Amino acid sequence: MNTTDRRNWLKTVALGGGFTLLGGLQGYASLTPDAQSPFKGLAKLNSNENPFGPSESVRKVIQENFEVGCRYPFQYMKDLVRDIAKKEEVSEDCIVLTGGSTEGLKAAGLVYGLEGGEIVAADPTFQALLRYAEYFGGYVHRVPLDASLTHDLDAMERRVTGKTRLIFICNPNNPSGTLLDSGKLRDFCSSTASRAVVFSDEAYYDYITEPDYPSMTSLVREGYNVIVSKTFSKVYGLAGMRIGYLVARPDIASRLQDSLMANTNSLAILAAKQALADTDFYKFSLAQNEKCKDMIYAQLDQMNLPYIKSHTNFVFFKSGMPIGNLIEKMGAEGVQIGRPFPPLLDWARISTGRIEEVEAFNRGLQRVLT
Ligand SMILES: Cc1ncc(COP(=O)(O)O)c(C=O)c1O
């Protein structure tokens, strides 16, 4: 076997193992759950993933670049950092690539929570940064969401003191799916950033449909004490590849860079670079998400169950049943739904996903609750 044949043969063997979907795709809608999945046969609607990813063009890049698996990721970072800096309109030294945005959230939790650092956050909200800070001796002031399950910015501002080191905003918020008024958000961030660092978790930013809704990267550009996290796990469909990034002023960015533990990996970097270029898949994913959300809303309306109009790829609704029971009963219907979010223990979070998965959710919910 000559070298080229051998290489092709190796690729074929490798593809047979994990990437069985590459041949003959007739558009994204034809993608099916991968054969190796431990979730086979289940509607997996518990983790806010995008089941259509990676896009076809990203799969091709991954397939054609297996050999980078033997190289450390650092030499591949520069190109992606350049593309992200251009997209976010900041200089390259404002970007920190991370292993999923979780690594960036944890690095910030460590840096600002260490040894008694105080943090102000909404409750419930995404926990990665907060829990990590607590592990390292930080103290988190949890401020309940308001009656519409949105961050209560006035109450949060009242909790900021001279000891506060970081204010955590998750916008749109996980699990409620709510979006802050853009003017209020900007005013809050710009005024509190003189007293502590503001962290804006924008994992779901791409799903916002409100025109010209600002990312808090605009404040980074203006030199504020603001850190923004973004991810390739959601609309780009790369949750399993583990890649995300932080945007912050260069002095803050370099401190966070030094606190990373694992970093992302070479294949993920190449995949993310291609994902940014694949605007067709991006648009497809957003359209699919809107379709699925409408199907979920219609079901909840028909069953008279309260829910929050979501700016994300999931819907938070009040089932009225203790969440532990609902998770178990929906599991028996073949549908995985989101974990408990105390104190809202008769609410449930359901991710969008494939149309068939949402249909299974709708059928299952109807059976379980009636
Ligand atoms: C609000 C929020 N931030 C961050 C993340 C972390 O995602 P990742 O580490 O995959 O970027 C999630 C994941 O669900 C999330 O909901």
Side-chain angles (χ1 to χ4, degrees):
M1 205 183 280
N2 68 32
T3 312
T4 315
D5 285 344
R6 187 173 157 71
R7 217 188 231 182
N8 289 337
W9 174 79
L10 283 169
K11 275 181 181 163
T12 314
V13 171
L15 287 173
F19 293 86
T20 51
L21 306 171
L22 285 160
L25 292 178
Q26 304 296 318
Y28 308 113
S30 66
L31 294 177
T32 52
D34 56 293
Q36 310 298 320
S37 171
F39 316 110
K40 209 174 166 197
L42 271 182
K44 190 180 178 308
L45 301 175
N46 61 340
S47 299
N48 307 338
E49 297 146 333
N50 173 2
F52 297 100
S55 78
E56 232 174 305
S57 77
V58 171
R59 286 166 197 241
K60 191 160 184 287
V61 164
I62 294 170
Q63 177 199 2
E64 287 172 358
N65 288 281
F66 281 143
E67 50 269 33
V68 307
C70 76
R71 302 289 175 203
Y72 288 113
F74 309 106
Q75 60 198 323
Y76 300 99
M77 287 179 173
K78 204 169 169 28
D79 275 1
L80 178 61
V81 165
R82 191 194 51 230
D83 290 359
I84 293 172
K86 193 165 168 221
K87 172 174 184 268
E88 303 293 356
E89 299 175 59
V90 294
S91 57
E92 291 174 25
D93 51 3
C94 292
I95 304 298
V96 181
L97 293 182
T98 55
S101 58
T102 297
E103 189 183 30
L105 285 151
K106 288 184 172 177
L110 176 61
V111 166
Y112 296 97
L114 196 64
E115 294 168 358
E118 294 195 12
I119 293 176
V120 174
D123 187 43
T125 192
F126 193 65
Q127 294 293 315
L129 184 154
L130 309 178
R131 293 245 170 88
Y132 214 63
E134 286 172 330
Y135 290 143
F136 289 95
Y139 183 84
V140 179
H141 295 266
R142 291 187 161 80
V143 180
L145 297 175
D146 69 14
S148 64
L149 301 190
T150 306
H151 285 55
D152 186 342
L153 293 181
D154 293 336
M156 287 177 73
E157 189 155 11
R158 285 196 294 275
R159 296 288 283 275
V160 177
T161 69
K163 290 186 183 163
T164 308
R165 297 192 66 204
L166 184 139
I167 300 157
F168 178 68
I169 304 278
C170 181
N171 187 49
N173 189 41
N174 181 3
S176 58
T178 46
L179 182 70
L180 282 157
D181 173 83
S182 60
K184 276 196 199 146
L185 172 65
R186 201 197 134 85
D187 290 350
F188 174 86
C189 293
S190 55
S191 71
T192 55
S194 58
R195 301 162 71 192
V197 168
V198 176
F199 192 110
S200 176
D201 179 337
E202 300 184 4
Y204 300 100
Y205 179 79
D206 298 271
Y207 293 104
I208 298 171
T209 51
E210 201 172 289
D212 302 322
Y213 191 89
S215 162
M216 289 303 102
T217 51
S218 56
L219 293 182
V220 174
R221 280 196 287 282
E222 293 172 41
Y224 283 91
N225 266 328
V226 170
I227 304 166
V228 176
S229 63
K230 298 207 178 177
T231 183
F232 287 94
S233 297
K234 306 299 176 185
V235 71
Y236 296 105
L238 297 179
M241 301 294 291
R242 309 312 296 135
I243 182 158
Y245 59 94
L246 300 172
V247 187
R249 231 172 41 209
D251 57 315
I252 300 177
S254 100
R255 198 159 169 217
L256 292 165
Q257 176 78 58
D258 290 344
S259 307
L260 300 185
M261 290 187 85
N263 284 292
T264 186
N265 64 81
S266 308
L267 264 184
I269 292 169
L270 299 184
K273 187 169 158 52
Q274 177 55 34
L276 282 179
D278 195 339
T279 49
D280 285 348
F281 178 76
Y282 181 90
K283 287 186 204 150
F284 166 81
S285 294
L286 292 182
Q288 197 70 15
N289 187 54
E290 290 302 310
K291 259 192 232 166
C292 289
K293 274 198 303 188
D294 285 344
M295 288 170 63
I296 296 169
Y297 294 154
Q299 180 67 29
L300 297 173
D301 283 337
Q302 188 237 309
M303 295 176 72
N304 258 325
L305 295 175
Y307 61 90
I308 311 282
K309 281 269 182 182
S310 170
H311 298 267
T312 65
N313 65 349
F314 57 84
V315 177
F316 199 46
F317 68 98
K318 185 171 180 165
S319 75
M321 178 181 279
I323 183 67
N325 294 0
L326 188 67
I327 288 173
E328 197 184 319
K329 286 177 190 295
M330 290 301 288
E333 297 287 333
V335 181
Q336 291 187 320
I337 64 169
R339 62 182 182 278
F341 293 99
L344 302 170
L345 292 173
D346 60 351
W347 285 70
R349 193 194 67 192
I350 178 79
S351 309
T352 57
R354 295 184 176 81
I355 300 282
E356 317 82 83
E357 291 178 303
V358 175
E359 284 169 350
F361 165 75
N362 285 353
R363 277 194 307 273
L365 193 71
Q366 183 81 41
R367 270 201 292 267
V368 166
L369 291 184
T370 52

